[in-house]
């Protein structure tokens, strides 16, 4: 579906050159867990992702003042720390979505309204709702204020005018009551410079549980290059996402993107692990971060890790693919893409 004319801002694709990656350090609440051991596991895993990204490009970590010394002890010395109050650590969602002016000369930062993934009962967002503007200021970006509730994990762009999104996120009554596809499309066109919308009906099964996002697309599908969509494929019929992923893949068949190409669908297998103590997992290799010269990918100590990393090498042939064990992140509701946010480089 094509929306109104795109605005003056454009969001580059993730594979475009980055100035840096932004993250936030776990500070409290469910992300740290209930025991010192769980807190330590969360902090070490976030730090492992930051240190992997720092091999390829600068990393800036936002950290609550009380956690600065802990963070410094776990992070590569090259990682910059910026101290301010935080509720949580999901930079993709609470942070800004960076954009460039149409001529590429100015950096902008879309500051979505953040309300804890649709005002979820367990979430707090007093401080996190301010992180978009805070990070924009540190980056020297012009703030592009958006009136809609949205998170960076709820969409993917190809940089040429196409956006992937899900009906259960942007149209969620807990986020944007009364919103229509037309109203969301108009705002995305204005703030992200997109004009072709690929609406998926839903996300993965686990994402609708208590600590889920209600359908973020960044564990379902992404664009690794123009005209290509990489899609999560659950091959085992014993997992409820077997039917879900087949339906999502079918919905993408024949879709024409902004450049006039019919999307080429590349399937990436779900991990062989099907369940944990809380039910069917939503482990996903789709939830990776593209960085300068590389890809930082989720692994799960799983029989399908090597297969999936090979698929990533095929769709990103000029980049080094590095895996980081993401099980501790997924246990808390997301993956590597969810805790990072890329800042594009100015030409």
């Amino acid at each position: 579906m094509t929306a109104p004319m795109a605005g003056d801002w454009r969001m580059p694709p993730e594979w475009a050159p980055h100035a840096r990656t932004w993250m936030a350090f776990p500070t409290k609440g469910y992300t740290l867990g209930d025991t010192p051991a769980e807190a330590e596991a969360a902090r070490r895993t976030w730090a492992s992702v930051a240190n992997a990204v720092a091999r390829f490009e600068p990393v800036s970590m936002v950290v609550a003042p009380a956690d600065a010394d802990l963070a410094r002890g776990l992070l590569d010395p090259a990682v910059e720390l910026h101290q301010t109050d935080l509720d949580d650590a999901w930079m993709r969602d609470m942070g800004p979505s960076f954009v460039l002016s149409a001529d590429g000369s100015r950096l902008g930062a879309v500051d979505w309204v953040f309300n804890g993934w649709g005002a979820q009962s367990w979430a707090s967002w007093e401080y996190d709702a301010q992180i978009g503007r805070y990070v924009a200021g540190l980056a020297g970006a012009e703030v592009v204020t958006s009136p809609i509730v949205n998170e960076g994990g709820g969409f993917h762009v190809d940089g040429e005018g196409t956006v992937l999104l899900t009906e259960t996120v942007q149209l969620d009554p807990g986020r944007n009551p009364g919103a229509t596809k037309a109203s969301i499309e108009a705002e995305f066109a204005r703030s992200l410079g997109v004009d072709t919308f690929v609406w998926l009906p839903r996300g993965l099964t686990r994402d609708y549980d208590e600590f889920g996002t209600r359908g973020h697309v960044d564990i379902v599908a992404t664009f690794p290059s123009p005209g290509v969509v990489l899609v999560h494929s659950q091959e085992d019929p014993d997992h409820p996402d077997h039917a879900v992923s087949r339906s999502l893949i079918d919905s993408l068949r024949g879709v024409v993107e902004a450049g006039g190409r019919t999307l080429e669908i590349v399937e990436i297998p779900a991990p062989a692990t099907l369940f944990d103590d809380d039910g069917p997992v939503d482990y996903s290799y789709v939830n990776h971060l593209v960085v300068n010269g590389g890809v930082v990918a989720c692994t799960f100590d799983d029989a399908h890790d090597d297969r999936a990393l090979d698929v990533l090498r095929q769709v990103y042939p000029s980049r080094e693919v590095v895996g980081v064990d993401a099980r501790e992140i997924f246990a808390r509701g997301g993956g590597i893409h969810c805790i990072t946010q890329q800042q594009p480089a100015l030409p």
Side-chain angles (χ1 to χ4, degrees):
M1 183 181 297
T2 301
M5 183 178 297
D8 293 333
W9 296 101
R10 304 283 187 276
M11 186 171 183
E14 201 163 296
W15 60 83
H18 297 178
R20 66 182 55 249
T21 287
W22 290 87
M23 296 181 65
F25 195 71
T27 186
K28 61 184 178 182
Y30 81 97
T31 299
L32 282 189
D34 298 322
T35 67
E38 290 175 347
E40 175 76 3
R43 291 172 177 135
R44 287 194 176 277
T45 303
W46 258 253
S48 293
V49 173
N51 294 342
V53 175
R55 288 184 48 204
F56 298 93
E57 62 188 61
V59 177
S60 292
M61 180 75 73
V62 179
V63 58
D67 298 324
D69 289 342
L70 273 171
R72 186 74 282 160
L74 293 171
L75 292 166
D76 185 302
V79 176
E80 294 182 355
L81 297 187
H82 299 278
Q83 297 185 39
T84 194
D85 291 323
L86 290 167
D87 295 292
D88 218 322
W90 305 92
M91 183 58 80
R92 178 69 52 176
D93 295 344
M94 64 189 183
S97 297
F98 287 102
V99 291
L100 298 179
S101 59
D103 65 1
S105 66
R106 291 157 32 233
L107 179 68
V110 182
D111 181 28
W112 312 105
V113 178
F114 180 71
N115 75 343
W117 303 276
Q120 304 240 33
S121 61
W122 46 265
S124 61
W125 56 92
E126 175 186 0
Y127 300 121
D128 288 356
Q130 310 303 318
I131 293 299
R133 284 183 175 270
Y134 175 75
V135 169
L138 292 173
E142 299 178 38
V143 175
V144 181
T145 301
S146 177
I148 68 169
V149 176
N150 190 37
E151 304 97 34
F155 65 92
H156 265 302
V157 301
D158 70 350
E160 297 190 352
T162 309
V163 62
L164 283 168
L165 63 173
T166 53
E167 295 178 9
T168 57
V169 172
Q170 285 80 21
L171 302 180
D172 176 12
R175 288 175 167 96
N176 299 300
T180 64
K181 285 186 177 180
S183 66
I184 295 297
E185 289 172 358
E187 174 55 17
F188 271 38
R190 183 194 73 87
S191 57
L192 300 177
V194 293
D195 58 22
T196 302
F197 298 83
V198 182
W199 286 92
L200 298 179
R202 58 162 297 154
L204 301 184
T205 301
R206 179 70 166 265
D207 206 17
Y208 296 88
D209 284 357
E210 180 181 6
F211 295 113
T213 69
R214 302 174 188 158
H216 270 189
V217 78
D218 68 353
I219 59 172
V220 176
T222 188
F223 296 114
S225 59
V228 179
V229 61
L230 182 70
V231 189
H232 178 83
S233 178
Q234 176 52 256
E235 299 169 337
D236 194 319
D238 288 336
H239 193 293
D241 284 335
H242 176 72
V244 171
S245 63
R246 296 328 303 172
S247 174
L248 292 170
I249 290 165
D250 286 345
S251 74
L252 287 164
R253 298 192 193 282
V255 169
V256 177
E257 43 84 89
R261 293 163 292 217
T262 300
L263 284 175
E264 175 189 349
I265 299 170
V266 177
E267 299 183 26
I268 188 166
T273 303
L274 301 181
F275 300 93
D276 64 11
D277 292 341
D278 296 312
V281 300
D282 58 357
Y283 292 172
S284 173
Y285 301 106
V286 170
N287 197 269
H288 56 271
L289 177 71
V290 184
V291 292
N292 293 336
V295 176
V296 180
C298 297
T299 58
F300 304 96
D301 192 22
D302 187 271
H304 289 177
D305 283 353
D306 289 342
R307 282 182 62 201
L309 294 181
D310 282 344
V311 172
L312 292 175
R313 292 184 184 102
Q314 292 165 18
V315 297
Y316 299 108
S318 63
R319 297 176 187 269
E320 179 185 356
V321 177
V322 174
V324 177
D325 192 325
R327 286 175 292 176
E328 292 291 347
I329 312 175
F330 272 84
R332 292 156 172 81
I336 287 173
H337 194 260
C338 306
I339 67 173
T340 55
Q341 179 62 266
Q342 73 278 359
Q343 177 186 328
L346 290 168

